């Protein structure tokens, strides 16, 4: 019974230790598997997703910056840089799409599709911006040519009037009303020249300041210049001067038509700027949303992994303490059981030895008595033998 009790105790103790080790090892292994899965997601999904989203956002911002600079300066180098950035943007979007398909990231796939669609629209707007800028150049050239021609013809007219005035002043028989008319012609021609300069100045300021109200001012100045030319024609008689007035008037009208075309193109260019900004913000918003989502997932994964590792550490610590307690209890119990059994055996052996010693003493006493009896019997036998010899 005692052996069975000891064996049972040993079985329970070692079974408890094995159970503790199994539980602790299982929880630790599960934690490691979870942490490994989280780390794998970070390495293959979240971090690459955040990187590609940041690349998309960076390329989109750089492309928008270059296109905006091109729209303001009409410098082709900005357009070239913008197209390079847009090409990189398409590559980053392709990488994002590939990552979304490989890692089965539905939110990334959706955001990438929207960004690709917006990027295609943006590139179409960039192409239209290039056409508008080219058209602007043609209109600006036509305006400059018309303005130069109007100024040139009006200056020729004014110079001819100055020359005629000098000749008339030198003559003594020129009527006063004719001199007054000549002065009127000079005054009107100078007024036309001033109006042309005001028109061109207003247009240049409007272009520099992006102020459409200055274009309206130029249009009003154009109308005033045509009125002055009409007044000037009414008092002009020389064919050459009339032709100069006609050429100047035609150039001013041509300048006005070019200005109207220029304003239309500029308004379209301004609208394109807004449209590009709107479409570009879609790309930026999707890239930012993906980057934020990925960073949230990374943060969440790191937090959960930290909690799991902390729980595992506590479980392992508790398991170790429990194992130590169970081991100490088992060792103590085994020591006491074995010591108790050995003491019992020693006591039993001691008692048996004492009993054996007592029995040996009794046997020794009996043997001595038996030896004495035998000696006495031997003596009696000798006496009897002697008596028999004597009787014989």
């Amino acid at each position: 019974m005692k052996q069975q009790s000891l064996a049972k105790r040993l079985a329970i103790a070692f079974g408890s230790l094995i159970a503790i080790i199994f539980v602790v090892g299982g929880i630790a292994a599960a934690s490691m598997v979870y942490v490994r899965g989280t780390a794998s997601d970070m390495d293959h999904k979240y971090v690459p997703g955040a990187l590609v989203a940041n690349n998309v956002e960076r390329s989109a911002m750089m492309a928008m910056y270059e296109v905006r600079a091109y729209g303001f300066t009409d410098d082709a180098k900005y357009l070239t840089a913008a197209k390079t950035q847009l090409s990189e943007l398409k590559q980053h979007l392709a990488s994002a799409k590939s990552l979304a398909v490989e890692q089965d990231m539905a939110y990334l796939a959706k955001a990438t599709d929207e960004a690709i669609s917006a990027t295609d629209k943006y590139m179409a707007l960039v192409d239209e911006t290039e056409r508008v800028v080219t058209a602007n150049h043609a209109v600006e050239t036509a305006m400059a040519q018309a303005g130069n021609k109007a100024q040139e013809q009006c200056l020729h007219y004014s110079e001819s009037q100055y020359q005629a005035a000098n000749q008339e002043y030198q003559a003594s028989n020129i009527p006063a009303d004719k001199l007054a008319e000549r002065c009127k012609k000079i005054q009107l021609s100078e007024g036309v020249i001033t109006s042309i300069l005001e028109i061109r100045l207003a247009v240049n300021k409007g272009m520099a300041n992006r102020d459409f109200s200055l274009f309206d001012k130029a249009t009003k100045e154009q109308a005033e210049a045509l009125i002055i030319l009409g007044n000037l024609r009414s008092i002009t008689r020389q064919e050459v001067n009339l032709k100069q007035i006609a050429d100047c008037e035609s150039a001013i009208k041509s300048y006005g038509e070019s200005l109207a075309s220029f304003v239309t193109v500029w308004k379209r260019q301004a609208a394109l700027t807004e449209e590009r900004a709107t479409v570009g913000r879609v790309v930026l918003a999707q890239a930012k949303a993906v980057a934020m989502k990925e960073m949230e997932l990374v943060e969440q994964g790191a937090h959960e992994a930290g909690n799991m590792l902390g729980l595992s550490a506590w479980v392992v610590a508790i398991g170790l303490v429990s194992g130590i307690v169970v081991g100490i209890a088992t060792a103590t119990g085994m020591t006491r059981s074995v010591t108790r059994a050995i003491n019992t055996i020693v006591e039993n052996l001691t008692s048996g030895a004492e009993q054996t010693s007592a029995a040996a003493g009794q046997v020794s006493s009996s043997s001595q008595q038996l030896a004495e009896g035998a000696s006495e019997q031997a003596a009696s036998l000798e006496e009897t033998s002697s008596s028999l010899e004597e009787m014989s």
Side-chain angles (χ1 to χ4, degrees):
M1 293 295 293
K2 290 182 180 180
Q3 291 179 354
Q4 292 178 357
S5 177
L6 180 60
K8 189 174 181 180
R9 291 177 183 177
L10 288 174
I12 293 173
F14 282 108
S16 299
L17 287 174
I18 292 173
I20 291 172
I21 293 172
F22 179 79
V23 171
V24 172
I27 293 176
S31 299
M32 293 301 103
V33 170
Y34 179 82
V35 172
R36 180 181 178 183
T38 302
S40 177
D41 288 340
M42 290 182 183
D43 184 38
H44 295 93
K45 295 171 65 175
Y46 306 147
V47 173
L51 289 175
V52 75
N54 286 332
N55 288 334
V56 168
E57 186 176 13
R58 178 183 56 79
S59 296
M61 290 181 67
M62 290 300 299
M64 292 174 66
Y65 167 79
E66 299 293 352
V67 173
R68 192 170 183 84
Y70 172 67
F72 275 109
T73 64
D74 299 341
D75 193 337
K77 69 179 182 182
Y78 293 112
L79 179 62
T80 302
K83 289 184 177 181
T84 301
Q85 292 296 331
L86 288 171
S87 177
E88 292 182 4
L89 175 60
K90 295 288 286 185
Q91 293 176 2
H92 294 317
L93 288 172
S95 299
K97 184 67 174 180
S98 176
L99 178 65
V101 173
E102 290 176 1
Q103 300 298 330
D104 193 21
M105 301 165 70
Y107 62 91
L108 179 58
K110 181 180 178 182
T112 301
D113 289 338
E114 293 183 9
I116 290 174
S117 176
T119 300
D120 291 339
K121 293 179 181 178
Y122 190 88
M123 294 179 73
L125 291 173
V126 170
D127 292 337
E128 186 177 356
T129 300
E130 183 178 5
R131 292 193 296 271
V132 167
V133 170
T134 302
N136 258 347
H137 286 162
V139 173
E140 287 179 20
T141 301
M143 286 172 60
Q145 292 175 350
N148 291 334
K149 183 177 181 180
Q151 248 181 281
E152 180 182 354
Q153 294 301 320
C154 198
L155 284 172
H156 288 332
Y157 182 94
S158 180
E159 288 174 358
S160 67
Q161 296 305 313
Y162 273 113
Q163 291 174 1
N166 288 331
Q167 293 174 0
E168 290 172 351
Y169 282 138
Q170 292 175 3
S172 59
N173 57 349
I174 303 300
D177 57 342
K178 189 172 183 180
L179 290 175
E181 184 181 84
R182 187 71 62 191
C183 291
K184 183 67 174 179
K185 291 178 180 178
I186 293 173
Q187 180 184 4
L188 291 175
S189 63
E190 291 294 337
V192 173
I193 293 174
T194 301
S195 293
I196 293 172
L197 292 175
E198 290 290 338
I199 292 169
R200 303 187 77 175
L201 180 61
V203 170
N204 290 332
K205 283 185 176 180
M207 293 169 60
N209 299 322
R210 305 275 167 170
D211 188 353
F212 288 97
S213 64
L214 293 175
F215 298 144
D216 295 333
K217 180 182 178 181
T219 302
K220 292 179 181 179
E221 289 287 345
Q222 176 199 358
E224 292 179 5
L226 291 175
I227 293 173
I228 296 173
L229 284 172
N231 294 333
L232 188 60
R233 182 186 295 105
S234 66
I235 59 175
T236 301
R237 297 175 183 81
Q238 297 292 329
E239 286 296 328
V240 62
N241 295 138
L242 288 172
K243 185 176 184 308
Q244 289 170 345
I245 292 173
D247 291 341
C248 182
E249 191 174 41
S250 175
I252 290 176
K253 288 180 179 180
S254 177
Y255 189 92
E257 293 172 356
S258 297
L259 177 60
S261 299
F262 180 81
V263 171
T264 301
V265 173
W266 257 51
K267 287 182 177 179
R268 179 53 187 159
Q269 186 171 345
L272 283 172
T273 301
E274 294 298 326
E275 291 177 19
R276 290 197 312 269
T278 301
V279 175
R281 279 193 288 269
V282 173
V283 180
L284 295 177
Q286 294 301 325
K288 184 177 180 180
V290 170
M292 294 296 294
K293 176 72 173 179
E294 301 294 353
M295 294 310 297
E296 287 177 2
L297 291 174
V298 169
E299 184 178 359
Q300 179 182 352
H303 181 69
E304 292 178 355
N307 289 339
M308 185 62 70
L309 289 175
L311 176 63
S312 300
W314 277 106
V315 170
V316 170
I318 293 172
L320 289 175
V321 172
S322 300
I324 292 172
V325 171
V326 172
I328 293 173
T330 301
T332 302
M334 289 177 61
T335 301
R336 289 179 179 177
S337 298
V338 172
T339 302
R340 189 180 298 113
I342 291 174
N343 288 335
T344 301
I345 294 171
V346 170
E347 290 176 357
N348 291 334
L349 289 176
T350 301
S351 176
E354 290 176 352
Q355 293 176 1
T356 302
S357 177
Q362 291 176 0
V363 171
S364 175
S365 176
S366 298
S367 297
Q368 187 175 0
Q369 292 176 0
L370 182 61
E372 290 178 355
S375 297
E376 291 177 356
Q377 290 178 1
S380 296
L381 288 173
E382 287 181 356
E383 290 179 357
T384 301
S385 177
S386 176
S387 296
L388 288 174
E389 287 179 355
E390 289 179 358
M391 288 176 63
S392 175

